[in-house]
Amino acid sequence: SNGGGKSTGVVYFHFRPFSTNSAVASLVFVGFLLLYLGSLIGNLTIGLTVWQDHSLHTPMYFFLCVLATLELGYSTNIAPLTLASILSMGKMLISLSSCGTQMFFFILLGGSDCVLLAIMAYD
């Protein structure tokens, strides 16, 4: 609260570290980074292969390409902030609006994944 009686504070969330031991944090960071890079490379490979090869332009591969694209967005929504929070060793803060934005895209992309998988099962 400032002198005028109005509160001008912004709500921030504090990330608790997985571990305060820097060796463990480094190991967790490398593990998460490898998983994220594997996801990126795998989904990009699927998308580019389907896009480049005209014999794969069928509904099944179209849906697979869309699924790979959704997964790229889904993992990119979560992984960079997680990696940054691991590196910060608990010093990173995120505002309420940033958290809300990330949650919106998390739910949007996750829900889209579910709808697409239902469509793929029907196809």
Side-chain angles (χ1 to χ4, degrees):
S1 171
N2 60 15
K6 289 185 177 180
S7 177
T8 58
V10 176
V11 176
Y12 286 95
F13 293 99
H14 174 76
F15 288 102
R16 294 189 61 184
F18 287 103
S19 173
T20 54
N21 183 333
S22 62
V24 172
S26 296
L27 187 61
V28 170
F29 176 81
V30 168
F32 273 46
L33 182 62
L34 290 174
L35 287 171
Y36 178 55
L37 290 176
S39 173
L40 284 180
I41 291 168
N43 286 313
L44 279 171
T45 302
I46 290 169
L48 290 174
T49 301
V50 172
W51 183 61
Q52 289 284 334
D53 191 344
H54 293 290
S55 68
L56 299 178
H57 289 187
T58 63
M60 180 179 72
Y61 289 107
F62 169 75
F63 287 133
L64 189 62
C65 183
V66 172
L67 183 64
T69 303
L70 280 173
E71 290 299 325
L72 278 171
Y74 193 71
S75 59
T76 300
N77 181 46
I78 300 298
L81 186 61
T82 303
L83 291 169
S85 70
I86 293 169
L87 280 182
S88 76
M89 293 295 290
K91 296 178 185 77
M92 186 171 170
L93 299 175
I94 182 170
S95 70
L96 181 61
S97 61
S98 296
C99 182
T101 302
Q102 184 177 13
M103 182 60 74
F104 170 78
F105 284 107
F106 180 79
I107 293 170
L108 175 75
L109 292 166
S112 299
D113 261 354
C114 292
V115 170
L116 182 64
L117 287 172
I119 292 169
M120 289 173 74
Y122 182 74
D123 181 53

